[in-house]
Amino acid sequence: MPLYEYRCEQCEKQFEANQSVYARVEDTECPFCRARQATRLMSSFSSNIVGDRKPGFSELKAKAMTEERMQRFAKLPPLNPRPIMPPPNGISESDPLSTEGSTS
Ligand SMILES: [Zn+2]
């Protein structure tokens, strides 16, 4: 379960909570004052990604590889192919039962 950081609006204390991804902020109870007025803080992990630093060469290359992979994936045929059509006419002629009846 991911670890979330919260700040209580009631007592202005920060606390961490192990919650499921589906947990709502409104249901998060402050361990100090039991108020449910917490606001979820951005984790340090996500704040590290955001920055005004220009991406390096390796990051650009990784981005290009990802885009190339996405394009290759888009060229793939759809998961549900068209149903196989029965061969056009000629089925009854090659049917052994029908030919047997006509010859005798
Ligand atoms: Zn509180």
Side-chain angles (χ1 to χ4, degrees), residues 4-68:
Y4 292 112
E5 285 184 65
Y6 288 96
R7 188 173 71 91
C8 177
E9 298 292 332
Q10 186 70 32
C11 63
E12 296 187 340
K13 284 181 181 174
Q14 291 189 11
F15 60 94
E16 294 176 339
N18 262 315
Q19 290 182 321
S20 76
V21 188
Y22 306 104
R24 294 189 302 167
V25 183
E26 308 90 83
D27 296 336
T28 305
E29 192 178 82
C30 173
F32 302 103
C33 68
R34 300 292 171 192
R36 293 188 178 182
Q37 297 180 26
T39 51
R40 188 178 290 179
L41 302 174
M42 288 293 119
S43 67
S44 55
F45 173 73
S46 58
S47 60
N48 279 342
I49 295 178
V50 180
D52 51 3
R53 179 176 70 92
K54 286 184 180 178
F57 175 74
S58 59
E59 285 170 299
L60 284 174
K61 192 180 178 183
K63 187 169 177 287
M65 283 179 65
T66 309
E67 286 177 353
E68 185 186 346

Side-chain angles (χ1 to χ4, degrees), residues 58-104:
S58 59
E59 285 170 299
L60 284 174
K61 192 180 178 183
K63 187 169 177 287
M65 283 179 65
T66 309
E67 286 177 353
E68 185 186 346
R69 207 170 295 166
M70 291 292 285
Q71 285 176 0
R72 212 176 283 174
F73 182 76
K75 284 175 186 171
L76 287 175
L79 286 176
N80 293 323
R82 281 188 298 172
I84 301 171
M85 299 295 287
N89 55 37
I91 292 182
S92 56
E93 290 177 18
S94 61
D95 191 358
L97 287 176
S98 61
T99 51
E100 191 182 342
S102 62
T103 45
S104 60

